[in-house]
Amino acid sequence: MDSILSLAAQNLISPIILFFVLGFAAAFARSDLSVPEAVAKGMSLYLLFAIGFKGGASVAAHGIDETLILSILAGVVLSFVLPFIAMALLRVMTGLSAVDAAAVAAHYGSISIVTFVAASSVLSTAGLMSEGYMVAVAAAMEAPAILAALWLVARADAKSGQGGGMDAGLLREILLNGSIVLLIGSFIIGGITGQDGLDKIASFIVSPFQGVLCLFLLDMGLVAGRGLRNARHLLKPGLFAFGVLMPLVGSLMGLGAGLALGLSTGGVMLMMTLSASASYIAVPAAMRVALPEANPSIYLTLSLGITFPFNLTLGIPIYLAIARAITGG
Amino acid sequence: MDSILSLAAQNLISPIILFFVLGFAAAFARSDLSVPEAVAKGMSLYLLFAIGFKGGASVAAHGIDETLILSILAGVVLSFVLPFIAMALLRVMTGLSAVDAAAVAAHYGSISIVTFVAASSVLSTAGLMSEGYMVAVAAAMEAPAILAALWLVARADAKSGQGGGMDAGLLREILLNGSIVLLIGSFIIGGITGQDGLDKIASFIVSPFQGVLCLFLLDMGLVAGRGLRNARHLLKPGLFAFGVLMPLVGSLMGLGAGLALGLSTGGVMLMMTLSASASYIAVPAAMRVALPEANPSIYLTLSLGITFPFNLTLGIPIYLAIARAITGG
Amino acid sequence: MDSILSLAAQNLISPIILFFVLGFAAAFARSDLSVPEAVAKGMSLYLLFAIGFKGGASVAAHGIDETLILSILAGVVLSFVLPFIAMALLRVMTGLSAVDAAAVAAHYGSISIVTFVAASSVLSTAGLMSEGYMVAVAAAMEAPAILAALWLVARADAKSGQGGGMDAGLLREILLNGSIVLLIGSFIIGGITGQDGLDKIASFIVSPFQGVLCLFLLDMGLVAGRGLRNARHLLKPGLFAFGVLMPLVGSLMGLGAGLALGLSTGGVMLMMTLSASASYIAVPAAMRVALPEANPSIYLTLSLGITFPFNLTLGIPIYLAIARAITGG
Amino acid sequence: MEMHKAKRVEITIEAVMETRLTEALIKAGVTGFTILPVLAGSGRSGQWSREGQVSRAGGMINVVCIYSTRTSGPLLTAAFAVVSPHRVVSVRIVKCCAQSGSLK
Amino acid sequence: MEMHKAKRVEITIEAVMETRLTEALIKAGVTGFTILPVLAGSGRSGQWSREGQVSRAGGMINVVCIYSTRTSGPLLTAAFAVVSPHRVVSVRIVKCCAQSGSLK
Amino acid sequence: MEMHKAKRVEITIEAVMETRLTEALIKAGVTGFTILPVLAGSGRSGQWSREGQVSRAGGMINVVCIYSTRTSGPLLTAAFAVVSPHRVVSVRIVKCCAQSGSLK
Ligand SMILES: Nc1ncnc2c1ncn2[C@@H]1O[C@H](COP(=O)(O)O)[C@@H](O)[C@H]1O
Ligand SMILES: Nc1ncnc2c1ncn2[C@@H]1O[C@H](COP(=O)(O)O)[C@@H](O)[C@H]1O
Ligand SMILES: Nc1ncnc2c1ncn2[C@@H]1O[C@H](COP(=O)(O)O)[C@@H](O)[C@H]1O
Ligand code: NA
Ligand code: NA
Ligand code: NA
């Protein structure tokens, strides 16, 4: 407990968290500070490119671990199962309609790549290694949750002709969405070019990485803060509680999977973080197409306004402490 | 005098000045070279983030100087007083209306953060240190000039119901404008995380800084050149003379303050530069809201087309030479 | 032959090529991966800035070579002559109208700066030097081809009043287009500030260069792939064959020029690459103004969809192998 | 320049629906349209802004389509089939004229 | 899809006035509007362009607001109260129709 | 606010033609116009998008010009002289009103 607190405190005064808090506070104070959309997108491309490539290069360096395939499979299963748990919690804790609840559930099965990046950077500050292929696990966990949610909607509301529309076009869009393609593509290129390739571009993707992450989290703080301020009337206590409880529940599922797979301490902690995190890029876009009746303010506010800040500030140190305590790492 | 000239010559052939000149010349030759708005904004966010953070980390390293508070107070007073001097000079030297003159005066009380950055980089080339908190002084000098100008308008033209509109909304916008929030926020975060934080992101905010500044000044040259070309018919000799005289007058006020505070040679030179520089980001935006009757072409052309290039090329070496001669640094 | 193949293979698994391929494949799979226009433009400004500056600094370091002027002249002549050859080939190989053929011909006389950059990076991987002023040759080769093409149209179709419109405005636009101005401007500034200047900004323009190039080529792959997918119905076999044959023909002309000038192995290879490459930035823009009747899909698809990928993957290793074999470098 | 009578439909729709809408238009024989970016907006589903956003989910585009008055039927039907389940749609029709030949 | 008669106001105003204008609209009960970015323009106060600009001072936005013909009074009054002291405003009203329910 | 009758011309033209068109407008005495960015489009010369583009060749802009009904002649003539050789032009005229004084 003590170590969690001191770790949380240490995490809270790292530059990346402080810039997130700065953005959050600026949005609440209604400052006009803002990052242009193109710059924000450019930074997100940079982050996906960098973590994908580094993951691939690390796999190339350490050899393909026998648990790689199993870990990816575990990720797919987790992503598909978590929405069902989320749905059950939502029906108990909140008064959301079936469609709104399913849309929210999809977000919690999927993952937030920035939370993953922040966790990786906490890991490296703590001097812990992790499996390079966790990046591939992250990519594999993006999509299955969406299918689970659509299935939930179809089941809950078999008569409503509108909802849960899944067609070939949407399936292609989900599986080939920009962030998955860039992440997996960079991972493969990093794997092919290995240490040689990494040496060539290290001063672009390794050394400035933390700084770009600070600026990006400033923007995330601004967006999350602005969203929360605009939609605070939606935040009933039940919803708020779900936004904090669900990541903890998810992290325990991730813990189980990580231990079963025999991952390193860092790998277990990243598996917990992935399961705990909620999507705010790929899934919202898919929901606008597949479940247009669901209210975007609800799922965006929950995942970006509550769960993302929670994971960033308190969740990550908690997951690390638990992973360390249990694996003895 | 000799040293001023050789310093000016040396300053003039530094990459940052030459890129400014390139942009200026390209704009005058009507080249279609241009920097997208989003990229220009992205670079300005980077510069604010970097100088704020470095300033804060430097304060953390050297301890809080007893003159920190006094220097900030001096900055606030200078920013409030300079518009009155500018106003008096404008009424004598030009035929501007009271509203236009007040709007111009507000710009000269406030500061140009890019001029400050360029001066800092000349300082470090010259091997001189300065107080890290000068960044905070810069931030403190952004806003008071706006209040002074509105007061000037209200006094000059008590009957005109329209002008000088200052309400709670505008005051919040001015005090919480994006650049102040980012600068002060980064300063505080730099102060909290100190050398540790700086080490983490140094390869983002320290090493590439000069290069980004070159590209940014290329853009400033393009914008300043285009503005000057479009509005050259406005540039009566009196206005032009004001654009060169006022920074010199301001720098002397800054010199007095810097000496009184007992700042280092570098600190005195930065105080002179801040007082000499004119805003072209925060103040124009505030003037569009508060003094919509003032002609934006006049104040933008003066501050960005005349005073900014003057300070960048001749002003900065002059201020450095004077600061050195007087403080013996 | 063997060395060409192994070099091609080695080239094909470099990160920059693999990211191009990733973009190309993503576009064909209709992924929604995309780079914002402002970010793409920002990266192209960065690349022009960096290669211009490094070229200038290298000239400053090695002294002005007596062949500098001759090389630039040779570039101008090549750029003017190549469209005539391209025109002749197009009339034989394809059924394009005179106007469309002339527009295509203009692209092949001019150059692709990204192909030049990719070739330079292959050179430095191979441990070869080249003349720093090749950057100036590249800039000099951008425009003459446009004049040649307009002359071709005027000759082919003296009656059609519309086509081939060249006026003072267009001439200025072509000669002062953004990329020429930035490239030449940075070259001159690099030359003036020399090694000193380069040291100041090396961590911006040297170390992260390869990484930015990867991201930029990802975008080029996306744009080329999307263009090719949309316009594949235009790609008759004759056109396709021209898109592969013409760069080879061009490279031989460049080879002759390089040998006649007595350039280094690297210089010869770059001269071949410049002659082989086709423009897709400056010339298309000029053609929209000067030859609005020409179909942009044809010239963009050929230069960006066929010749650019060909040069990037196979052409560059071929040119390097030939240059090495003949100069013995 | 000869002017013809035409209609102008303007559809504000989620950015993620762009491909679906344009494919529906092209399928309906409508090959002329222009897409404008949208910065921010407000409607029944609340206020939003593109500032700092990375996801395409939180944004709209503005699709403008000019067509001759004779072809209105199929156009509207095709567009509305895509558009109707979405809450965030505004369709406006104005009388206007356009350069001959650019309509379909 | 049922069409109703509606008005379309288009206001070109300085970007710094955005919040003031939208707050005035919302206060007046107008909750539907769309904001388009503007690249460049020209008017009585001269020509301008957003290229390379950092300050929001030198730019405009385009606010489009569609509303039923019955609610025109309060809308215009609210918008114009914000807009009138500014020289850089253009208001245009066109007859148009919009999907039922998206107007207020 | 007094409203006047006015015309609204909207020209979709290649971005590279921007300066030529605005210079022609200004020469014709038309000093009020607004330029909107265009994201993507489709017409007789095919579909295009600005995503990831560096060249200005592959893009359009949207020039909106409001002018009093009395000055239509010279405006159209000036604009069309620039515009006509280009295939990618759409001109639309709508009846509308604008704030007095901002027209020319
Ligand atoms: N009355 C209106 N006038 C202009 N734009 C509107 C109007 N209603 C909705 N919109 C636009 O359409 C989007 C979706 O509307 P809604 O589905 O009502 O939330 C809004 O965010 C606005 O950009
Ligand atoms: N007649 C017009 N047609 C279209 N846009 C206009 C017109 N007049 C003004 N504008 C726009 O409104 C802005 C401010 O106009 P002004 O206050 O006249 O300088 C201009 O920069 C244009 O973007
Ligand atoms: N009917 C139309 N409605 C709206 N925009 C159009 C229409 N036709 C053409 N455009 C726009 O004008 C551009 C050039 O048209 P075109 O010359 O026909 O290829 C297109 O890319 C569209 O952006
Ligand atoms: Na999750
Ligand atoms: Na000042
Ligand atoms: Na060539």
Side-chain angles (χ1 to χ4, degrees):
Chain A
M1 197 61 210
D2 204 52
S3 95
I4 297 188
L5 283 181
S6 87
L7 205 89
Q10 196 191 318
N11 181 40
L12 286 175
I13 62 157
S14 75
I16 57 176
I17 305 298
L18 291 172
F19 276 103
F20 179 81
V21 171
L22 175 61
F24 211 84
F28 261 85
R30 293 203 278 149
S31 164
D32 70 349
L33 179 59
S34 73
V35 176
E37 175 184 1
V39 173
K41 273 196 178 179
M43 288 194 289
S44 82
L45 293 176
Y46 169 86
L47 296 175
L48 292 167
F49 168 67
I51 60 167
F53 197 98
K54 286 185 279 188
S58 146
V59 167
H62 296 103
I64 294 189
D65 201 296
E66 64 272 26
T67 52
L68 188 155
I69 304 286
L70 287 177
S71 299
I72 289 177
L73 273 179
V76 170
V77 171
L78 277 171
S79 173
F80 196 87
V81 169
L82 283 166
F84 289 83
I85 301 176
M87 189 79 181
L89 282 177
L90 283 164
R91 299 320 288 260
V92 174
M93 298 173 71
T94 72
L96 292 188
S97 72
V99 169
D100 279 333
V104 169
H107 289 71
Y108 283 82
S110 183
I111 59 111
S112 145
I113 204 72
V114 183
T115 311
F116 176 80
V117 168
S120 311
S121 111
V122 167
L123 271 189
S124 70
T125 301
L128 288 173
M129 302 289 295
S130 64
E131 289 77 5
Y133 54 71
M134 288 308 293
V135 165
V137 176
M141 290 179 75
E142 282 228 21
I146 299 170
L147 305 180
L150 298 186
W151 196 75
L152 276 167
V153 170
R155 201 184 57 170
D157 185 25
K159 278 153 230 152
S160 134
Q162 305 250 20
M166 165 60 83
D167 54 29
L170 180 57
L171 192 63
R172 205 204 52 239
E173 267 174 43
I174 292 170
L175 293 178
L176 292 180
N177 94 62
S179 41
I180 294 188
V181 167
L182 181 52
L183 195 60
I184 291 292
S186 306
F187 179 78
I188 294 174
I189 296 177
I192 295 175
T193 62
Q195 191 60 38
D196 265 21
L198 188 61
D199 287 346
K200 274 192 193 143
I201 63 175
S203 47
F204 181 61
I205 65 172
V206 179
S207 22
F209 189 83
Q210 289 288 325
V212 178
L213 189 56
C214 285
L215 260 189
F216 189 72
L217 281 170
L218 174 75
D219 178 51
M220 297 280 305
L222 286 166
V223 172
R226 223 183 294 130
L228 200 57
R229 192 163 57 77
N230 284 341
R232 52 180 181 269
H233 57 279
L234 291 172
L235 269 190
K236 307 279 143 61
L239 264 186
F240 186 92
F242 172 82
V244 170
L245 181 61
M246 185 60 208
L248 293 172
V249 171
S251 76
L252 294 183
M253 306 268 309
L255 174 66
L259 293 175
L261 290 161
L263 298 180
S264 68
T265 304
V268 168
M269 184 269 207
L270 289 181
M271 196 62 122
M272 293 175 75
T273 304
L274 286 174
S275 307
S277 71
S279 169
Y280 47 83
I281 298 184
V283 178
M287 289 299 115
R288 287 301 272 224
V289 176
L291 295 180
E293 319 86 318
N295 183 348
S297 303
I298 295 174
Y299 50 71
L300 280 174
T301 305
L302 259 183
S303 79
L304 196 55
I306 304 295
T307 300
F308 179 71
F310 169 75
N311 276 327
L312 204 62
T313 52
L314 300 177
I316 287 177
I318 294 176
Y319 312 146
L320 177 55
I322 296 179
R324 275 187 146 161
I326 293 192
T327 65
Chain B
M1 196 60 210
D2 204 51
S3 97
I4 296 188
L5 283 180
S6 88
L7 205 88
Q10 196 191 319
N11 182 40
L12 286 175
I13 61 154
S14 75
I16 58 177
I17 305 298
L18 290 172
F19 275 102
F20 180 81
V21 171
L22 175 60
F24 210 84
F28 261 85
R30 293 203 279 148
S31 164
D32 71 349
L33 180 59
S34 73
V35 176
E37 175 184 2
V39 173
K41 273 195 178 180
M43 288 194 289
S44 81
L45 293 176
Y46 169 85
L47 296 175
L48 292 166
F49 168 68
I51 60 168
F53 198 97
K54 287 186 278 190
S58 146
V59 167
H62 296 104
I64 294 188
D65 201 297
E66 64 272 25
T67 52
L68 188 154
I69 304 286
L70 287 177
S71 298
I72 289 176
L73 272 179
V76 170
V77 172
L78 277 170
S79 173
F80 196 87
V81 169
L82 283 166
F84 290 84
I85 301 175
M87 189 80 180
L89 282 176
L90 282 164
R91 300 317 290 259
V92 174
M93 299 174 70
T94 72
L96 292 187
S97 72
V99 169
D100 280 334
V104 169
H107 289 71
Y108 283 83
S110 185
I111 59 113
S112 145
I113 204 72
V114 182
T115 311
F116 175 79
V117 169
S120 311
S121 109
V122 167
L123 271 189
S124 70
T125 302
L128 287 173
M129 303 289 294
S130 63
E131 288 77 4
Y133 53 72
M134 288 308 293
V135 164
V137 176
M141 289 180 75
E142 283 228 20
I146 298 169
L147 305 181
L150 297 186
W151 195 76
L152 276 168
V153 169
R155 200 185 56 172
D157 185 25
K159 278 152 230 152
S160 135
Q162 306 249 20
M166 167 60 84
D167 54 28
L170 180 57
L171 192 63
R172 205 205 51 239
E173 269 175 43
I174 293 171
L175 294 178
L176 291 181
N177 95 62
S179 41
I180 294 188
V181 167
L182 181 52
L183 195 61
I184 291 293
S186 306
F187 179 78
I188 294 173
I189 295 176
I192 294 174
T193 62
Q195 191 61 38
D196 265 20
L198 189 59
D199 288 344
K200 273 191 194 144
I201 62 174
S203 47
F204 181 61
I205 67 173
V206 179
S207 22
F209 189 83
Q210 290 287 326
V212 178
L213 190 56
C214 284
L215 260 189
F216 190 71
L217 281 170
L218 173 74
D219 179 51
M220 298 279 307
L222 286 166
V223 172
R226 221 183 294 132
L228 200 57
R229 191 162 59 78
N230 284 341
R232 52 180 181 270
H233 58 277
L234 290 173
L235 268 191
K236 307 278 144 59
L239 264 187
F240 185 94
F242 172 83
V244 171
L245 182 60
M246 185 61 207
L248 294 171
V249 172
S251 77
L252 294 182
M253 306 268 309
L255 175 66
L259 294 176
L261 290 160
L263 299 180
S264 67
T265 304
V268 168
M269 184 268 207
L270 289 181
M271 197 60 123
M272 293 176 74
T273 304
L274 285 174
S275 307
S277 71
S279 168
Y280 48 82
I281 298 184
V283 178
M287 290 299 116
R288 287 301 271 221
V289 176
L291 295 181
E293 320 86 318
N295 183 349
S297 303
I298 295 175
Y299 50 72
L300 279 175
T301 305
L302 259 183
S303 79
L304 196 54
I306 304 294
T307 301
F308 179 71
F310 169 75
N311 276 328
L312 205 61
T313 52
L314 300 177
I316 288 176
I318 294 177
Y319 311 146
L320 177 56
I322 295 179
R324 274 187 147 158
I326 293 193
T327 65
Chain C
M1 196 62 210
D2 204 53
S3 96
I4 297 187
L5 284 180
S6 88
L7 205 88
Q10 196 191 318
N11 182 41
L12 286 175
I13 62 155
S14 76
I16 57 177
I17 305 298
L18 290 173
F19 276 102
F20 179 81
V21 172
L22 175 61
F24 211 83
F28 261 85
R30 295 203 277 149
S31 165
D32 71 348
L33 179 60
S34 73
V35 176
E37 175 184 1
V39 173
K41 274 196 177 178
M43 288 194 290
S44 81
L45 293 175
Y46 169 84
L47 295 175
L48 293 167
F49 168 66
I51 61 168
F53 197 97
K54 286 186 278 189
S58 146
V59 167
H62 296 104
I64 293 188
D65 201 298
E66 64 273 23
T67 52
L68 187 155
I69 304 287
L70 286 177
S71 299
I72 289 176
L73 272 179
V76 170
V77 171
L78 277 171
S79 173
F80 197 87
V81 169
L82 283 167
F84 289 84
I85 301 176
M87 189 79 180
L89 282 177
L90 283 165
R91 300 318 288 260
V92 174
M93 299 173 70
T94 72
L96 291 188
S97 72
V99 169
D100 279 334
V104 169
H107 289 71
Y108 284 83
S110 185
I111 58 112
S112 145
I113 203 72
V114 182
T115 312
F116 176 79
V117 168
S120 311
S121 111
V122 167
L123 271 188
S124 71
T125 302
L128 288 173
M129 303 288 295
S130 63
E131 288 77 4
Y133 54 73
M134 289 308 293
V135 165
V137 176
M141 289 180 75
E142 282 229 21
I146 298 170
L147 305 181
L150 297 186
W151 195 76
L152 276 168
V153 170
R155 200 184 56 169
D157 185 25
K159 278 153 231 152
S160 137
Q162 305 250 19
M166 166 59 84
D167 54 28
L170 180 57
L171 192 63
R172 204 204 52 239
E173 268 175 43
I174 293 171
L175 294 178
L176 291 180
N177 94 62
S179 40
I180 294 188
V181 167
L182 181 52
L183 195 60
I184 291 292
S186 305
F187 180 78
I188 294 174
I189 295 176
I192 295 175
T193 62
Q195 191 60 38
D196 265 20
L198 188 60
D199 288 345
K200 272 191 194 145
I201 63 175
S203 46
F204 181 61
I205 66 173
V206 178
S207 23
F209 189 83
Q210 289 287 325
V212 178
L213 189 56
C214 284
L215 260 189
F216 190 71
L217 281 170
L218 173 75
D219 179 51
M220 298 280 307
L222 286 166
V223 172
R226 221 182 295 131
L228 199 58
R229 192 162 59 77
N230 284 341
R232 52 180 181 270
H233 57 278
L234 290 173
L235 267 191
K236 308 278 144 59
L239 263 187
F240 185 93
F242 172 83
V244 171
L245 181 61
M246 185 60 208
L248 293 172
V249 172
S251 76
L252 294 183
M253 307 268 309
L255 175 66
L259 294 176
L261 290 161
L263 298 180
S264 68
T265 305
V268 168
M269 185 268 206
L270 288 181
M271 197 60 122
M272 293 175 75
T273 304
L274 285 174
S275 307
S277 72
S279 169
Y280 47 81
I281 298 183
V283 178
M287 290 298 116
R288 287 301 272 224
V289 176
L291 295 180
E293 320 86 318
N295 183 349
S297 302
I298 296 174
Y299 50 73
L300 279 175
T301 305
L302 259 184
S303 79
L304 196 54
I306 304 293
T307 300
F308 179 71
F310 170 75
N311 275 328
L312 205 60
T313 53
L314 300 177
I316 288 177
I318 294 176
Y319 311 146
L320 177 55
I322 295 179
R324 274 187 147 160
I326 293 192
T327 64
Chain D
M1 188 178 276
E2 215 187 327
M3 290 282 153
H4 298 269
K5 234 181 171 180
K7 281 191 175 176
R8 181 179 193 273
V9 180
E10 205 178 313
I11 302 176
T12 303
I13 192 171
E14 295 105 327
V16 286
M17 296 299 293
E18 177 179 331
T19 319
R20 283 180 174 72
L21 177 56
T22 57
E23 276 172 5
L25 289 174
I26 289 169
K27 226 171 168 179
V30 181
T31 56
F33 51 81
T34 295
I35 301 181
L36 303 179
V38 177
L39 261 190
S42 172
R44 279 156 305 154
S45 45
Q47 241 183 305
W48 59 272
S49 153
R50 286 300 308 156
E51 297 261 86
Q53 296 283 351
V54 169
S55 170
R56 282 200 307 158
M60 306 275 159
I61 51 169
N62 209 271
V63 182
V64 176
C65 193
I66 300 174
Y67 56 95
S68 107
T69 40
R70 288 178 306 275
T71 50
S72 64
L75 172 87
L76 289 181
T77 314
F80 291 173
V82 169
V83 142
S84 55
H86 288 263
R87 295 171 311 179
V88 283
V89 172
S90 325
V91 180
R92 306 129 193 184
I93 302 181
V94 294
K95 285 236 176 61
C96 65
C97 312
Q99 189 185 11
S100 163
S102 84
L103 307 182
K104 191 69 168 281
Chain E
M1 187 178 276
E2 214 189 326
M3 290 282 153
H4 297 269
K5 233 179 171 185
K7 283 192 175 173
R8 181 180 193 273
V9 179
E10 205 179 313
I11 301 176
T12 303
I13 192 171
E14 294 104 326
V16 285
M17 297 299 292
E18 177 179 332
T19 319
R20 282 180 175 72
L21 178 55
T22 57
E23 276 172 4
L25 289 174
I26 289 169
K27 226 170 167 180
V30 181
T31 55
F33 51 82
T34 296
I35 301 181
L36 303 180
V38 177
L39 262 190
S42 172
R44 280 156 303 156
S45 45
Q47 241 183 305
W48 60 272
S49 152
R50 286 300 306 156
E51 297 260 86
Q53 296 283 350
V54 169
S55 170
R56 281 200 307 157
M60 305 277 159
I61 51 168
N62 209 270
V63 181
V64 176
C65 193
I66 300 175
Y67 55 95
S68 108
T69 40
R70 288 177 307 274
T71 50
S72 65
L75 172 87
L76 289 181
T77 314
F80 292 172
V82 169
V83 143
S84 55
H86 288 264
R87 295 170 311 178
V88 284
V89 173
S90 325
V91 180
R92 306 127 193 186
I93 302 181
V94 294
K95 284 236 176 60
C96 64
C97 311
Q99 189 185 11
S100 162
S102 85
L103 307 182
K104 189 71 167 284
Chain F
M1 189 178 275
E2 215 188 326
M3 291 281 153
H4 298 269
K5 234 180 172 184
K7 282 190 176 177
R8 182 180 192 274
V9 180
E10 205 179 312
I11 302 177
T12 302
I13 192 170
E14 295 105 326
V16 285
M17 297 298 294
E18 177 178 332
T19 320
R20 282 180 175 73
L21 177 55
T22 57
E23 276 172 5
L25 289 174
I26 289 169
K27 226 171 168 178
V30 180
T31 55
F33 52 82
T34 295
I35 301 181
L36 303 180
V38 177
L39 261 189
S42 172
R44 280 157 304 156
S45 44
Q47 240 183 306
W48 59 271
S49 153
R50 286 299 308 156
E51 296 261 85
Q53 297 282 352
V54 169
S55 170
R56 281 200 307 157
M60 306 276 158
I61 50 168
N62 209 270
V63 182
V64 176
C65 192
I66 299 175
Y67 55 95
S68 107
T69 41
R70 287 177 308 272
T71 50
S72 65
L75 172 85
L76 288 181
T77 315
F80 291 172
V82 168
V83 143
S84 55
H86 288 263
R87 295 171 312 179
V88 283
V89 173
S90 325
V91 180
R92 306 129 193 183
I93 302 182
V94 294
K95 285 237 174 59
C96 65
C97 311
Q99 187 185 12
S100 163
S102 85
L103 306 182
K104 191 70 170 280

